[in-house]
Amino acid sequence: MLGLNQDKGIVGLDIGSHSIKAVELAAKKKKDQDVFEVVRIGYELLPHDAIVEGTIIDSTAVVETIKMIFDENKFKNRNIAISISGNSVIIKKISLPAMDKEELAESIVWEAKHNIPYPYEETNVDYAILRPPRGSEERNLDILLVAAKKDKIANYSNVVNQARKNLLAIDIDVFALQNSLEVNYPEDFQAKILAVVNIGANITNVAIIERGTSQLVRDLSLGGFFFIENIRKELNLSFDEAEKLLKGIPVKSVAPEKVDELVSFNVKDLLDEIDKTFSFYEAGEKREKKIEQIYLSGGLAQLKNIAQSFEQKFGIKTEAFNPFRNVAFDEKKIDPVYLQEMAPLFGVAVGLATRKMEK
């Protein structure tokens, strides 16, 4: 959304609180469709507390990690797209009467000033006009208004610049996921009402996409670190020990049943928050709407039985999102087992890398 003009090739760089992911795709046209192939891919863990609640605290560690990914995985392309999310990013759907471009631009500024909880001068604002649902006679313009605090943008763009990379675009996590979803699940994307839930270390992004058009986006302040911290406190462990337990690695004499119980409590808290978002969407307009499919992305999408927990809670088919489902790769260069295991972590990075086709 908050983009600059870009060259043909771009590396999707997902700077998360727990790790940094990078992917470069080669793109070509096939029967008027964009098809992609993985050129290079990289993943590196960040030191704990390098990024806290979406704010980069240890910029040196983040810069060095970016450099390490590019050097160790032999990325030659220095053109980068990144994305942001969290409390410093506001996404709001508004409705305006149909009007010409100049009037619309003025109206967007007015709406931004009245819908953003920060001074307008401290934010960068962008917007997208949403397609009306098929069969709708609605004449108003539905608009997705996006605002990001300038200091948040500077916080992330600075580390990319310090790593000597060319920052060409700044997107929003959920919109990058939406790009990835469209590439990998085109039939569902165009025909169904989908929810994408990206469960990261600090933040869970929730996006509801109605037949190819974003309808609702929310960032929840719940993620893997929330789970780890609760396990740590309950069992009187270190952060590293609690993280191992969450990953299913035995620690000391902690009974697996106790860990399962704690994880279940945390999953319930997460599902209750997501339920509020789903209910808000389904009750939002006069016509009846029902989410038909849930895709899970992010680190906690790998949690044992989490898809089943979603299905039990919502009665909606739920599966792990695979951003490489329709993306080719050379098995001589990239281990297919590695891609399969890492897939839930790369939804945002793949979505950013698909921006290379934009002009």
Side-chain angles (χ1 to χ4, degrees):
M1 294 292 293
L2 304 167
L4 300 96
N5 292 331
Q6 58 245 45
D7 201 345
K8 239 180 175 183
I10 202 162
V11 175
L13 188 71
D14 178 12
I15 304 173
S17 297
H18 182 258
S19 61
I20 298 179
K21 288 76 67 177
V23 66
E24 181 182 2
L25 304 177
K28 58 186 176 183
K29 289 284 185 182
K30 186 177 181 181
K31 296 180 180 177
D32 293 327
Q33 296 289 320
D34 298 332
V35 292
F36 297 93
E37 180 175 1
V38 178
V39 176
R40 284 177 183 81
I41 188 168
Y43 170 90
E44 289 290 341
L45 292 172
L46 281 168
H48 182 49
D49 288 343
I51 299 178
V52 178
E53 296 182 357
T55 299
I56 297 172
I57 305 298
D58 187 347
S59 60
T60 301
V62 176
V63 169
E64 291 306 313
T65 304
I66 294 172
K67 288 179 178 178
M68 188 187 308
I69 286 177
F70 275 71
D71 292 344
E72 292 190 355
N73 298 284
K74 298 184 170 127
F75 282 88
K76 296 182 179 67
N77 190 344
R78 296 171 64 244
N79 296 332
I80 302 296
I82 63 171
S83 60
I84 54 178
S85 64
N87 294 335
S88 296
V89 178
I90 305 297
I91 303 170
K92 192 171 181 68
K93 185 181 173 186
I94 60 174
S95 186
L96 293 173
M99 60 186 77
D100 63 35
K101 286 184 178 180
E102 287 186 10
E103 287 180 310
L104 181 59
E106 290 178 9
S107 295
I108 291 294
V109 172
W110 190 92
E111 290 287 342
K113 288 180 177 178
H114 288 79
N115 282 285
I116 297 167
Y118 307 114
Y120 179 78
E121 297 74 21
E122 295 178 8
T123 62
N124 280 8
V125 175
D126 201 350
Y127 68 93
I129 299 173
L130 303 177
R131 296 194 304 271
R134 286 197 297 269
S136 171
E137 297 179 5
E138 184 61 63
R139 294 185 180 180
N140 282 355
L141 297 174
D142 280 341
I143 294 167
L144 212 58
L145 183 67
V146 183
K149 291 193 75 175
K150 290 179 180 177
D151 57 0
K152 172 89 168 190
I153 293 170
N155 191 228
Y156 277 72
S157 60
N158 285 343
V159 293
V160 174
N161 294 331
Q162 288 170 34
R164 299 180 182 274
K165 310 304 173 195
N166 302 322
L167 180 59
L168 299 185
I170 302 174
D171 210 329
I172 307 299
D173 285 357
V174 287
F175 297 148
L177 280 167
Q178 183 171 319
N179 290 346
S180 190
L181 187 70
E182 183 175 13
V183 167
N184 288 286
Y185 299 83
E187 302 85 4
D188 284 357
F189 185 81
Q190 294 297 338
K192 293 182 178 181
I193 300 177
L194 308 175
V196 183
V197 180
N198 183 44
I199 315 170
N202 270 315
I203 294 167
T204 293
N205 316 115
V206 182
I208 298 174
I209 301 150
E210 186 176 334
R211 299 177 183 89
T213 302
S214 287
Q215 295 296 326
L216 182 63
V217 172
R218 281 204 171 154
D219 288 342
L220 309 176
S221 298
L222 281 170
F225 287 168
F226 173 81
F227 283 48
I228 293 167
E229 187 61 19
N230 286 342
I231 293 170
R232 184 192 71 76
K233 287 180 179 176
E234 188 69 26
L235 300 177
N236 194 26
L237 299 170
S238 69
F239 181 92
D240 289 343
E241 289 170 333
E243 184 177 26
K244 285 179 181 178
L245 287 175
L246 186 61
K247 291 179 178 179
I249 302 168
V251 171
K252 296 180 179 176
S253 56
V254 179
E257 296 79 14
K258 181 63 177 175
V259 179
D260 290 344
E261 180 185 334
L262 289 171
V263 171
S264 294
F265 279 131
N266 285 277
V267 169
K268 182 182 180 301
D269 288 342
L270 177 64
L271 292 175
D272 287 345
E273 287 301 314
I274 292 169
D275 188 27
K276 294 174 187 176
T277 301
F278 286 3
S279 297
F280 181 80
Y281 166 75
E282 292 181 344
E285 295 177 17
K286 293 176 183 176
R287 57 199 171 86
E288 186 177 326
K289 296 176 291 186
K290 175 70 177 169
I291 295 164
E292 300 168 84
Q293 171 84 42
I294 300 171
Y295 289 104
L296 300 182
S297 180
L300 283 195
Q302 298 168 311
L303 204 59
K304 184 176 67 173
N305 297 329
I306 193 164
Q308 293 92 315
S309 297
F310 269 78
E311 289 185 345
Q312 288 169 8
K313 173 75 174 179
F314 300 112
I316 301 170
K317 183 183 175 186
T318 304
E319 64 182 89
F321 174 54
N322 180 7
F324 302 111
R325 181 174 180 260
N326 272 2
V327 176
F329 61 95
D330 186 343
E331 292 190 13
K332 294 177 182 176
K333 297 177 181 177
I334 299 171
D335 182 359
V337 175
Y338 174 84
L339 274 197
Q340 183 179 359
E341 290 178 350
M342 301 296 285
L345 302 173
F346 274 88
V348 170
V350 168
L352 292 170
T354 65
R355 291 181 60 115
K356 67 194 298 180
M357 294 302 292
E358 297 179 9
K359 303 296 180 188

